[in-house]
Amino acid sequence: MKSILKNRKTEYSRQHRLYGKKLSKLIEWIQQYKSGRIWLNKLRSNATKRVYLSYFKMFCDAVQKNPDELIELKMQGQRNVGTPLEFQMEELLEDFLAHPEKYFANVAHKNRYYAKYAKEGLTHASKVNISAAVLSFFKHNRRRLETQRLQPKEPKSRCPTLEQVQLMAEYARTARDKALIWFLASSPVRLGSIPLLKWSDLQPTGDKEIPLKLVLSSERLKGHGSDKYRGIKQICFVHWFAYRKLLTYKKELDRWLKEKGFEFSPEMPLFINYRGNQIEPLSPSRIRAIIEEACLSAFGDLEEVRFSPHDFRDHVNTAVINAGVPLEARETILGHKIQGTNKFYTDKGQIELLKFFKQGLPWLIPAEKQKTTLLATPPPLLISQIKKEHQKFIEQVKKLEEIIEDFIQFLPAEEKKQAEAILTVFKDKLRAIQKQNTN
């Protein structure tokens, strides 16, 4: 299992380096064009830039036009209202999404991916990303396209149950990882906001069942407080079980800080990366890796059971829905934008929101009996490893028996009888061990 986890960590590290190189090349490409520079300045996060720029360049290569030429197509249409040229840019995008193969056939020689797309076409997810990237490009250049954005398919539900969360936490390696899992299962913070959290963000509530709360401003949420995301807040809570795990993690963190020669500060990142000699928060990619490692250890097969940090938001949302919490309260806990004024942003409203969240605790906190049962159950991966080792042991024993029997044939008569007697005892003991291991 260690080798599997090590390979996955190496792959995450490799992908992280490749993404950095790829993004720098894409930025270098888009900055050659005036319309590209305007668009780039509007894109906030590196993650958005990487996705949008890569798919937008794919579109430009396929239709064999650069960003400025695409803008000129739209402007030409605006100058020729009522003619076939009016919506030529929209028609180009729609035809590309409908028949990508014929466009990639003209550029299949450029790389093996385009050759593949020329034969097999694009997945629906890729078409959705291209549609979003192209519409964003024209929107920020003040040349909106008169076409609808392609919608993604209904995603598969991957909401972890309480028992699965509990099992993942039990097989997480460090107190920090256990605390992270239970924190996410109590406070549905988005992946991009987790590295921005500090210990000082944990505010006491004075409630024994829900001792802590977090109030995150729009700058640390999706959209970073710009445009339609301006002024929103996320108000979420840490129940007593997750709080207990955070206290255990704090002791582990204090030991690590002492070893590295640092002193604890409330302004430190909430979840610290133990690698290296600097105080740095866990990166989004490392958080994903921790969750996947816990899934692999607990369930044994990532193809069958794999959760992401975002799936824990669904876990909390499902719990408050089951508790009958009203929509406005749920949206505030999840950090969604709601219509009108949010009454839960006030101090009085936060007290009311805490009461609503408390209704969902039966779906968020494990019972001690459940914990005992889960602890007594070995993970599937461990069971499969034991079976493989046992089978390997049996095969080695059989080979050893054959070697000893062949050797005995060459011994003198008296020694041969003694050796056969010893071999019989040896076989009996081995059979007993095999029977015990099988049971």
Side-chain angles (χ1 to χ4, degrees), residues 63 111 157 163 170 173 289 297 303 305 318 327 347:
V63 300
N111 61 53
S157 177
E163 290 76 13
E170 293 299 341
R173 292 188 302 156
S297 300
E303 296 300 323
V305 184
T318 301
L327 177 61
D347 291 340

Side-chain angles (χ1 to χ4, degrees), residues 320-321 323-333 343-344 352-353 356 359:
V320 291
I321 288 175
V325 175
L327 177 61
E328 186 178 358
R330 299 200 307 268
E331 299 287 74
T332 306
I333 292 171
K343 64 179 181 180
F344 296 115
E352 186 180 356
L353 188 65
F356 279 129
Q359 295 175 15

